[in-house]
Amino acid sequence: MTDEGPLTPRVTGTVRIVGAGLLGASVGHALRARGADVVLEDASPSQLRLAIDYGAGRAATADDAPTLIVVAVPPDVVADVVERELRAFPDAVVTDVASVKLEPLRELVERGVNLTHYIGSHPLAGRERGGAISARADLFIGRPWVVCRDGKTPASDLALVEALALDLGATPIEMTPEDHDRSVALVSHVPQLVASLLAGQFADAPDGSLRLAGQGVRDTTRIAASAPELWVQILAANAAPVVDILDALSQDLAAVADALRAPEAVGARREVADTIRRGNEGVERLPGKHGQNRRFASLVVMVDDTAGQLGRLFGDLGALAVNVEDFRLEHSPGAPFGLAEIAVAPAVLRDAITGLEERGWKIASTTND
Amino acid sequence: MTDEGPLTPRVTGTVRIVGAGLLGASVGHALRARGADVVLEDASPSQLRLAIDYGAGRAATADDAPTLIVVAVPPDVVADVVERELRAFPDAVVTDVASVKLEPLRELVERGVNLTHYIGSHPLAGRERGGAISARADLFIGRPWVVCRDGKTPASDLALVEALALDLGATPIEMTPEDHDRSVALVSHVPQLVASLLAGQFADAPDGSLRLAGQGVRDTTRIAASAPELWVQILAANAAPVVDILDALSQDLAAVADALRAPEAVGARREVADTIRRGNEGVERLPGKHGQNRRFASLVVMVDDTAGQLGRLFGDLGALAVNVEDFRLEHSPGAPFGLAEIAVAPAVLRDAITGLEERGWKIASTTND
């Protein structure tokens, strides 16, 4: 794997983690792997026990003097717990990892809590399943970790939270709470709702209709499988920015629906074309691999649906010194084989095709754009 | 590859293909590969020349007596071309491959054309890029091929069109034009518009916001990269069923937006939870691999971003006799490695983990549901 340097923690002193679920326990595992002293607390004794048993840290004691406190509790109770921790440990820096930043901050300000040593943060990481049992030391590796300091934040406090992010392999990104919340509304909360709303249309659809579903609709609705409980809290806590985008989306939807109500009217087809074209522009702007908008050439190879076939394919690609930039395995409903779509640098496309065909692979298609 | 039996065509006689673009030329290549006699025609002499040069068939002559005619022209001109072909070749069976079935049929009925030998069909296949140059003999393999006969369709005509689908490796599915159009509106046309509308919100978004985008939103908006020209024709031709679903979607969107306007009101959180839960139900119903809703266990393996790493991984999986049911490569923005998510049968999950760890792989996470 990548060279992470000597396994000593950048964070100094004891780190106290409140909330030993997926995120909290994952922070614990990652810090423990670097040798940091980690103490854990959780409102649920059984969750706490599990996190300790799995090695995420030790049980908190009355003598602990943490330098850094990580609050990793559900969004609904973040403000309560941050306030309690700031009061209990006035010398510690307190951060939280909730996916909404403005609402808890507003609550804390309203209560008149001294927030000098509070820095909200948000690692863009997660899994479909929660709980200490799902925690992984490498959950945060390579992920953005948003840090929301303000003008009064001491430089040493900021450095400590950024050291935490770096210890976990994440990339710290400074943003205001407002910018953060608008950003996650746009790239996470609204996409979740849109996928759910679209997939919701299939709930009562005839079986026969769904037989015609292909990879496109499966991709579009994949995240609709997310669990409701957490999303209700997230969406409620970030309601205003989410509603703004939903309203814009609703207007755009109404415009294209109206155009399709009279598809032969003047301007109707242009409205539809503009919708698709604007989508082209938007999707082009999403960061892809390595955070860039690099475009790759792709080739689609037919593979039997048996163990070893993909091994042989990737073995051949390795022998051809072709680096696989991206890979997707597409299944044909009812067929005993799949289509392996492989993205490669445009410069190596021709050699990859020639080499694979020489080795007996059937190339179903290629694109180079 | 799979055993396709002896390469003799099921279709008998000469097949005439009108429209030598992606679909028409692909039909030609597949039939030629089985030794069928294929003649081609296209309004564009250069497209026709290209399709013939690539081996999709021969140029049509005055002496041709086709048994089957495949109309593969843009949706806007399907009715015109089908009418012309039925009149020119009264003994032939005429089918088309347009992605909308009711609108061309309605036009043909209005014109009083004798439709005894017309059977509309629609192969659920395509690529991002069009034209004869993108055509592939295996474009239709494993795909559903909808066939719309009516009560007056002679059995031998139906058999000929189904023979065509089978020759191309597709799975014939009988549906009425109404059911077909409603089905593709639901699983293809509306998802395309929804992805485009969502991605459209990113067109003018600040760069900083988009830095937080992850795999979820990338999947949700992937098909927003589709080209506008064809989609405008498809959506205009299937406007009524598309509008019905857009209206339902718009109502659901308004309901959840209203709930989020007052997230603390009685019933608001339940409305949001119901939206996510209904999405859960809908996405569960989409057919997955092999047309079933089989659930797989998955494991996530960390892989270096270098040539040969995936080859080694799949080689090891092959050596462990683990069949890869699905595969997704996820990149961490800014990190020099990726996460390979591998779906396997639940029964082999434990052996796969043990075997891979013994071979030095770092398992980032596993799920088994």
Side-chain angles (χ1 to χ4, degrees), chain B residues 37 52 96 125 133 143 160-161 175 254 258 284:
Chain B
D37 182 36
I52 293 170
D96 74 299
I133 203 165
R143 305 288 182 162
L160 194 57
V161 174
M175 290 181 104
D258 285 345
E284 260 300 308

mmCIF file of all heavy atoms in Angstrom, chain B residues 37 52 96 125 133 143 160-161 175 254 258 284:
data_model
loop_
_atom_site.group_PDB
_atom_site.id
_atom_site.type_symbol
_atom_site.label_atom_id
_atom_site.label_comp_id
_atom_site.label_asym_id
_atom_site.label_seq_id
_atom_site.Cartn_x
_atom_site.Cartn_y
_atom_site.Cartn_z
ATOM 1 N N ASP B 37 -27.840 -13.254 -45.640
ATOM 2 C CA ASP B 37 -27.703 -12.277 -46.718
ATOM 3 C C ASP B 37 -28.312 -10.964 -46.245
ATOM 4 O O ASP B 37 -29.504 -10.915 -45.916
ATOM 5 C CB ASP B 37 -28.421 -12.790 -47.982
ATOM 6 C CG ASP B 37 -28.263 -11.828 -49.147
ATOM 7 O OD1 ASP B 37 -27.185 -11.209 -49.272
ATOM 8 O OD2 ASP B 37 -29.227 -11.686 -49.929
ATOM 9 N N ILE B 52 -21.026 -0.606 -45.301
ATOM 10 C CA ILE B 52 -20.653 -1.683 -46.229
ATOM 11 C C ILE B 52 -19.164 -1.991 -46.105
ATOM 12 O O ILE B 52 -18.758 -3.159 -46.022
ATOM 13 C CB ILE B 52 -21.029 -1.285 -47.678
ATOM 14 C CG1 ILE B 52 -22.557 -1.225 -47.817
ATOM 15 C CG2 ILE B 52 -20.426 -2.272 -48.682
ATOM 16 C CD1 ILE B 52 -23.041 -0.608 -49.117
ATOM 17 N N ASP B 96 -39.316 -2.438 -36.913
ATOM 18 C CA ASP B 96 -38.456 -1.279 -36.681
ATOM 19 C C ASP B 96 -37.852 -1.443 -35.294
ATOM 20 O O ASP B 96 -38.308 -2.290 -34.516
ATOM 21 C CB ASP B 96 -39.244 0.036 -36.775
ATOM 22 C CG ASP B 96 -40.117 0.248 -35.559
ATOM 23 O OD1 ASP B 96 -41.006 -0.602 -35.339
ATOM 24 O OD2 ASP B 96 -39.931 1.224 -34.819
ATOM 25 N N ALA B 125 -30.851 -1.756 -26.234
ATOM 26 C CA ALA B 125 -29.400 -1.767 -26.397
ATOM 27 C C ALA B 125 -28.987 -0.435 -26.980
ATOM 28 O O ALA B 125 -29.769 0.225 -27.655
ATOM 29 C CB ALA B 125 -28.974 -2.894 -27.328
ATOM 30 N N ILE B 133 -19.890 3.582 -37.661
ATOM 31 C CA ILE B 133 -18.525 3.349 -37.202
ATOM 32 C C ILE B 133 -18.503 2.781 -35.783
ATOM 33 O O ILE B 133 -17.539 2.143 -35.363
ATOM 34 C CB ILE B 133 -17.727 4.673 -37.304
ATOM 35 C CG1 ILE B 133 -16.235 4.383 -37.386
ATOM 36 C CG2 ILE B 133 -18.059 5.626 -36.175
ATOM 37 C CD1 ILE B 133 -15.431 5.581 -37.849
ATOM 38 N N ARG B 143 -29.604 -8.757 -24.213
ATOM 39 C CA ARG B 143 -30.525 -7.647 -23.949
ATOM 40 C C ARG B 143 -31.976 -8.057 -24.214
ATOM 41 O O ARG B 143 -32.236 -8.879 -25.084
ATOM 42 C CB ARG B 143 -30.192 -6.474 -24.873
ATOM 43 C CG ARG B 143 -28.759 -6.015 -24.780
ATOM 44 C CD ARG B 143 -28.510 -5.299 -23.477
ATOM 45 N NE ARG B 143 -27.137 -4.809 -23.422
ATOM 46 C CZ ARG B 143 -26.727 -3.878 -22.582
ATOM 47 N NH1 ARG B 143 -27.554 -3.367 -21.700
ATOM 48 N NH2 ARG B 143 -25.481 -3.481 -22.577
ATOM 49 N N LEU B 160 -40.508 -14.869 -37.425
ATOM 50 C CA LEU B 160 -39.364 -14.313 -38.148
ATOM 51 C C LEU B 160 -38.685 -13.197 -37.340
ATOM 52 O O LEU B 160 -37.447 -13.129 -37.260
ATOM 53 C CB LEU B 160 -39.828 -13.787 -39.513
ATOM 54 C CG LEU B 160 -38.738 -13.473 -40.540
ATOM 55 C CD1 LEU B 160 -37.859 -14.685 -40.808
ATOM 56 C CD2 LEU B 160 -39.365 -12.972 -41.848
ATOM 57 N N VAL B 161 -39.490 -12.332 -36.723
ATOM 58 C CA VAL B 161 -38.913 -11.245 -35.922
ATOM 59 C C VAL B 161 -38.243 -11.809 -34.663
ATOM 60 O O VAL B 161 -37.171 -11.363 -34.257
ATOM 61 C CB VAL B 161 -39.992 -10.192 -35.562
ATOM 62 C CG1 VAL B 161 -39.427 -9.145 -34.611
ATOM 63 C CG2 VAL B 161 -40.499 -9.517 -36.836
ATOM 64 N N MET B 175 -44.873 -7.478 -25.713
ATOM 65 C CA MET B 175 -45.595 -6.445 -24.959
ATOM 66 C C MET B 175 -46.509 -5.705 -25.924
ATOM 67 O O MET B 175 -46.261 -5.678 -27.123
ATOM 68 C CB MET B 175 -44.620 -5.424 -24.358
ATOM 69 C CG MET B 175 -43.754 -5.938 -23.236
ATOM 70 S SD MET B 175 -42.658 -4.626 -22.572
ATOM 71 C CE MET B 175 -43.528 -4.252 -21.054
ATOM 72 N N ALA B 254 -42.714 17.947 -4.352
ATOM 73 C CA ALA B 254 -43.332 19.071 -3.649
ATOM 74 C C ALA B 254 -43.667 18.675 -2.213
ATOM 75 O O ALA B 254 -43.483 19.470 -1.282
ATOM 76 C CB ALA B 254 -44.592 19.520 -4.389
ATOM 77 N N ASP B 258 -42.117 20.553 0.930
ATOM 78 C CA ASP B 258 -42.985 21.210 1.912
ATOM 79 C C ASP B 258 -42.688 20.718 3.325
ATOM 80 O O ASP B 258 -42.660 21.505 4.275
ATOM 81 C CB ASP B 258 -44.461 20.965 1.566
ATOM 82 C CG ASP B 258 -44.903 21.827 0.382
ATOM 83 O OD1 ASP B 258 -44.165 22.784 0.035
ATOM 84 O OD2 ASP B 258 -45.963 21.539 -0.207
ATOM 85 N N GLU B 284 -35.165 -1.941 -4.618
ATOM 86 C CA GLU B 284 -35.148 -3.387 -4.369
ATOM 87 C C GLU B 284 -35.801 -4.156 -5.518
ATOM 88 O O GLU B 284 -35.483 -5.316 -5.760
ATOM 89 C CB GLU B 284 -35.933 -3.701 -3.093
ATOM 90 C CG GLU B 284 -35.118 -3.920 -1.859
ATOM 91 C CD GLU B 284 -34.146 -5.071 -2.002
ATOM 92 O OE1 GLU B 284 -34.556 -6.176 -2.379
ATOM 93 O OE2 GLU B 284 -32.958 -4.846 -1.746
#
